[in-house]
Amino acid sequence: MDEENTKWTKEWEASSSPGWAMKGINPYIKKYKDDLTKGMDCVKLFFPMCGDVEDMFWLSELGHDIVGVEISAIAIQKFFKDSNLEYEVTPCEEIKGSLYTSKTGKIRIYCGDFFLFGASIECNFDGIWDRGAFNILDNCDLKKDKRNLKKEYINILKSVMKQDCHVFIELVVSDSTTKADDIQSFFGEDYLVEDFGLVEKYAPEYDSIPFKGFQFFRVSKNN
């Protein structure tokens, strides 16, 4: 992923607020919050390829423990600055990067290659919120087989889930949108994939970007 990681970090270097980075809290994480957290007051939530999304701070303020992975140190530092949070940085050899931890310990963001992340670093997540991470693999310029890359991505999610974990996947809807049966093929028959349907663009930042809207899926392990 070195090639794509370089491209991603350069986008953050070119602008502290890339055009696709939404300001504010995703209205659909608010809608599905009780499902994501299973109605509990303190759960462990995972944000893969998290960028600087404000959703993480909002959920931490509600009492939840937040873990993210992001390649761009600029994005992580912007998140902590915008959230007015003090943090510490320590080396993390497993991910060939660093770990940013809020002073309260409620938020931990790993800065490094997502594909080096796994259960040996963090696991037992109650909920996972994928806000466009899966889409990144569709839109990257890698020469690698994208289907194998997606499978590797999903396998990492599967490795860190609790038995009753709910995974929410938000996809940009275009002519080549991944459908529920495609996601099902990546997770396998031991998982239930539910299509929550299409919603329109929900933020002005997206008005100039040519796509139809978003599609949400919930994934859980079959009992």
Side-chain angles (χ1 to χ4, degrees), residues 88-102:
E88 298 176 342
V89 184
T90 54
C92 182
E93 293 299 328
E94 297 101 320
I95 203 167
K96 293 185 179 179
S98 304
L99 171 60
Y100 288 69
T101 305
S102 65

Side-chain angles (χ1 to χ4, degrees), residues 38 44 46 117-119 122-129 153-169 187 190-192 218-222:
K38 294 168 284 189
K44 186 177 180 182
F46 184 39
F117 189 80
E122 295 264 6
C123 61
N124 294 323
F125 288 102
D126 298 284
I128 299 174
W129 186 265
Y153 170 79
I154 294 299
N155 284 341
I156 291 173
L157 298 192
K158 289 163 65 173
S159 75
V160 301
M161 295 171 63
K162 273 187 176 178
Q163 180 63 35
D164 58 349
C165 176
H166 286 171
V167 181
F168 280 84
I169 297 176
F187 275 94
D190 292 334
Y191 292 79
L192 173 66
R218 182 179 66 185
V219 184
S220 54
K221 292 183 180 180
N222 287 321

Side-chain angles (χ1 to χ4, degrees), residues 157-204:
L157 298 192
K158 289 163 65 173
S159 75
V160 301
M161 295 171 63
K162 273 187 176 178
Q163 180 63 35
D164 58 349
C165 176
H166 286 171
V167 181
F168 280 84
I169 297 176
E170 176 185 2
L171 294 181
V172 172
V173 175
S174 62
D175 292 338
S176 59
T177 299
T178 303
K179 303 300 183 184
D181 55 349
D182 295 321
I183 294 178
Q184 185 75 66
S185 70
F186 289 113
F187 275 94
E189 60 184 16
D190 292 334
Y191 292 79
L192 173 66
V193 176
E194 300 169 88
D195 185 350
F196 281 14
L198 173 69
V199 300
E200 296 180 351
K201 299 177 185 180
Y202 51 73

Side-chain angles (χ1 to χ4, degrees), residues 61-188:
E61 287 290 278
L62 295 177
H64 304 294
D65 293 317
I66 307 299
V67 176
V69 177
E70 168 59 42
I71 189 61
S72 171
I74 293 174
I76 297 172
Q77 291 162 12
K78 182 176 183 296
F79 165 79
F80 281 104
K81 180 180 179 180
D82 291 349
S83 303
N84 197 27
L85 291 173
E86 294 184 7
Y87 61 90
E88 298 176 342
V89 184
T90 54
C92 182
E93 293 299 328
E94 297 101 320
I95 203 167
K96 293 185 179 179
S98 304
L99 171 60
Y100 288 69
T101 305
S102 65
K103 290 288 188 179
T104 63
K106 296 292 289 183
I107 301 176
R108 298 185 299 282
I109 302 180
Y110 292 86
C111 183
D113 189 337
F114 176 84
F115 289 91
L116 298 177
F117 189 80
S120 64
I121 301 175
E122 295 264 6
C123 61
N124 294 323
F125 288 102
D126 298 284
I128 299 174
W129 186 265
D130 173 340
R131 184 177 175 178
F134 196 80
N135 270 133
I136 291 172
L137 305 179
D138 263 330
N139 298 326
C140 66
D141 297 328
L142 293 173
K143 296 178 182 179
K144 295 181 181 179
D145 185 292
K146 291 182 181 179
R147 184 169 182 84
N148 286 338
L149 201 61
K150 289 179 179 180
K151 185 176 181 180
E152 186 178 350
Y153 170 79
I154 294 299
N155 284 341
I156 291 173
L157 298 192
K158 289 163 65 173
S159 75
V160 301
M161 295 171 63
K162 273 187 176 178
Q163 180 63 35
D164 58 349
C165 176
H166 286 171
V167 181
F168 280 84
I169 297 176
E170 176 185 2
L171 294 181
V172 172
V173 175
S174 62
D175 292 338
S176 59
T177 299
T178 303
K179 303 300 183 184
D181 55 349
D182 295 321
I183 294 178
Q184 185 75 66
S185 70
F186 289 113
F187 275 94

